[in-house]
Amino acid sequence: MDVLVGAFPFMTANFALLLEKTGEHLVISLIPLLAAIVVGVPLGVWLGHIHKGEFLAVSITNIGRALPSLALIAILIGIVGIGMLNAMIALFLLAFPPILSYAFQAVDSVDADLTKAARGMGLAPMQVLTKVELPLGLPMIISGIRTAAVLTVSSATIATIAGSGGLGDVILNQVAYGMEGVIAAALWVAVLAILVDQVFVLLLKIASPAGVKHLQRAAVAA
Amino acid sequence: MSGFAPAGDPVIPDYGQASDCVINNGFFCTDWFASQWSTVFWPPLVDHIYMVLIAVVVGFLIAFTAALIAYRKKWLAGPIGVAATFLYTLPPLALFQLLVPFTGLTLLTVEIALVCFTLVIIFQAVLAGLAAVPDDVKRSAVGMGLDTKQLMLKVELPLALPSIISGLRIATVLTVSVATIAAFVVDSGLGSPILKAVSSPFNTQFIAAGALAVLLAFVLDGLLVLIGRILTPWTRVRI
């Protein structure tokens, strides 16, 4: 218990250090996340739009879920060597599967009656995608991104074994920072993960059209 | 036989017998893997299986009970869901370290954290499965004279089984993966050969341990699929 209390004086005394490590942490987790969004969302949405590649999306998710982040980072030490690049590649590989599969399911599972009705009203396939499928699928796309975001922020702590910096440096260096430091950094990472998660919840609220708000309330609660 | 040579075995063991693959740190050295299997890989694999099974079973018991309560008392579903999601969001490594001051560098620390990760998945799967039971079916069961307990045991739970099994599958696969991180806390599980190999990067050890974890995940996943098929014979009846 004393150590837990001791974590807070550590935070104030080493605020600059924690801030610097948080900066590194965000760099190594958010850049791969953004890359995975840029690649995964359009690909998943497009596959969902043409209703093809379900096998691909499902198997990528299964493999991605089974892939231990520690093993991935360790294997990449052998291939890429140590440093930030290693961590970023590993985190990209971890973030990509949930983003792709959620994006795919989001668009693929849009009620066929709705898309047919939209076509019947004279919308072009592209308009069906942007005006019907994307707004309806948005909650699910965002929840895929949330899953991936939490995953990258939490896995980035392990990436420190590849010498990539971040808050894992403090968590895994009890010799230098003491148990207080370890606990302080662990609390810090936990709060960071929750904050990143909440940022995307907020983003969903801002970005979504009013017409589908009630659908999203159910999705966010789940 | 020179006068300087000691009798019997050399004092310094001869390490010069490694294969080219090991010397050059090749991508995967089958010979090394085979010779080290019984000491480096098999014991962690067994530990890993135990770790995962305990976590999933305990997690299932807690989450299942919580889901049954939340199903009866709807207003509880929100708070329990939020609490479970919160535990799920915490990074595994952070959770391990936060527990260390209380439970020490023990297996208990690891299990508590692993159970926390399974909770949200199993809880939601059970609740979703129960919620998806059609009202018509429930009403006809009540009409046939089933009481609340019979309704749960004979109608609602069997119909929710596919959803429960799929939740268990996700939770198991995820736990296999997260359990590798337990090696930071206790020297156990497939994470420990990985961590030990980090200081002198030896590819075979990384890849073999990582591959074993992935394989274990798939095997356990397959077993659960099989159990699901045995438990729900009616889903395969052709009409």
Side-chain angles (χ1 to χ4, degrees):
Chain A
M1 204 62 206
D2 293 345
V3 221
L4 204 60
V5 178
F8 292 97
F10 181 92
M11 277 189 208
T12 44
N14 298 285
F15 193 68
L17 169 87
L18 283 172
L19 221 53
E20 184 202 330
K21 294 290 178 192
T22 309
E24 288 174 9
H25 201 93
L26 287 176
V27 167
I28 55 170
S29 48
L30 293 187
I31 290 179
L33 179 69
L34 284 180
I37 294 173
V38 168
V39 183
V41 171
L43 186 63
V45 164
W46 178 68
L47 285 174
H49 180 63
I50 59 173
H51 298 287
K52 282 202 178 100
E54 184 171 7
F55 176 75
L56 183 78
V58 169
S59 34
I60 284 183
T61 323
N62 283 343
I63 295 171
R65 201 180 279 133
L67 209 60
S69 43
L70 181 63
L72 198 58
I73 291 163
I75 290 169
L76 282 169
I77 294 178
I79 300 169
V80 190
I82 57 170
M84 274 198 176
L85 186 65
N86 174 327
M88 287 192 195
I89 295 174
L91 294 178
F92 173 82
L93 292 176
L94 287 173
F96 185 69
I99 290 178
L100 175 74
S101 73
Y102 274 80
F104 170 78
Q105 277 171 22
V107 177
D108 188 50
S109 66
V110 168
D111 196 346
D113 291 348
L114 292 177
T115 49
K116 273 185 210 146
R119 290 304 303 274
M121 285 167 71
L123 268 65
M126 207 54 207
Q127 285 176 311
V128 174
L129 180 67
T130 55
K131 294 200 192 292
V132 179
E133 291 176 326
L134 273 184
L136 285 173
L138 197 65
M140 208 166 170
I141 295 176
I142 299 270
S143 60
I145 295 176
R146 279 173 65 193
T147 309
V150 170
L151 199 67
T152 45
V153 169
S154 56
S155 300
T157 47
I158 307 159
T160 186
I161 62 163
S164 59
L167 285 162
D169 276 1
V170 184
I171 296 183
L172 290 177
N173 201 345
Q174 199 189 335
V175 180
Y177 300 107
M179 200 59 203
E180 284 81 7
V182 172
I183 298 294
L187 280 172
W188 203 278
V189 166
V191 172
L192 195 64
I194 292 165
L195 278 182
V196 169
D197 189 42
Q198 290 306 310
V199 165
F200 283 103
V201 175
L202 199 70
L203 197 71
L204 175 64
K205 282 198 182 128
I206 296 168
S208 55
V212 286
K213 284 269 179 179
H214 68 283
L215 286 173
Q216 294 174 358
R217 249 172 247 130
V220 170
Chain B
M1 192 91 174
S2 92
F4 295 106
D9 293 331
V11 178
I12 299 169
D14 184 3
Y15 287 121
Q17 289 166 4
S19 65
D20 283 349
C21 176
V22 174
I23 292 165
N24 300 321
N25 195 5
F27 193 68
F28 186 81
C29 306
T30 320
D31 56 326
W32 186 86
F33 176 69
S35 69
Q36 303 296 318
W37 164 258
S38 59
T39 52
V40 177
F41 297 109
W42 176 244
L45 181 63
V46 175
D47 288 347
H48 206 89
I49 295 173
Y50 275 126
M51 218 150 43
V52 171
L53 287 185
I54 296 173
V56 172
V57 169
V58 174
F60 177 75
L61 291 177
I62 298 175
F64 188 73
T65 319
L68 286 189
I69 295 171
Y71 182 62
R72 288 265 171 269
K73 310 240 182 300
K74 302 282 182 213
W75 57 273
L76 271 174
I80 296 179
V82 169
T85 312
F86 173 76
L87 289 175
Y88 184 74
T89 315
L90 295 179
L93 189 60
L95 191 51
F96 286 142
Q97 297 292 3
L98 288 177
L99 287 168
V100 165
F102 303 101
T103 49
L105 296 169
T106 59
L107 199 61
L108 182 66
T109 306
V110 171
E111 293 295 353
I112 293 175
L114 291 182
V115 165
C116 287
F117 285 104
T118 61
L119 288 181
V120 68
I121 300 164
I122 301 176
F123 174 76
Q124 280 174 2
V126 176
L127 207 55
L130 289 175
V133 177
D135 278 340
D136 297 349
V137 177
K138 281 190 276 191
R139 273 200 291 267
S140 38
V142 172
M144 286 167 72
L146 271 65
D147 60 27
T148 319
K149 198 176 162 193
Q150 286 172 320
L151 179 69
M152 176 56 73
L153 288 177
K154 300 196 176 199
V155 179
E156 291 177 308
L157 275 184
L159 285 178
L161 255 182
S163 169
I164 296 174
I165 295 281
S166 76
L168 268 180
R169 286 175 58 193
I170 298 176
T172 308
V173 169
L174 209 65
T175 308
V176 171
S177 154
V178 175
T180 54
I181 301 167
F184 286 106
V185 177
V186 284
D187 183 16
S188 169
L190 286 167
S192 80
I194 295 178
L195 271 192
K196 281 172 191 159
V198 163
S199 49
S200 58
F202 180 46
N203 293 337
T204 309
Q205 194 156 329
F206 292 145
I207 290 166
L212 279 176
V214 175
L215 272 179
L216 178 64
F218 285 143
V219 168
L220 291 179
D221 192 46
L223 275 178
L224 281 170
V225 172
L226 210 65
I227 293 174
R229 283 177 69 94
I230 295 168
L231 286 179
T232 56
W234 61 87
T235 54
R236 294 189 310 280
V237 173
R238 289 177 197 281
I239 305 163

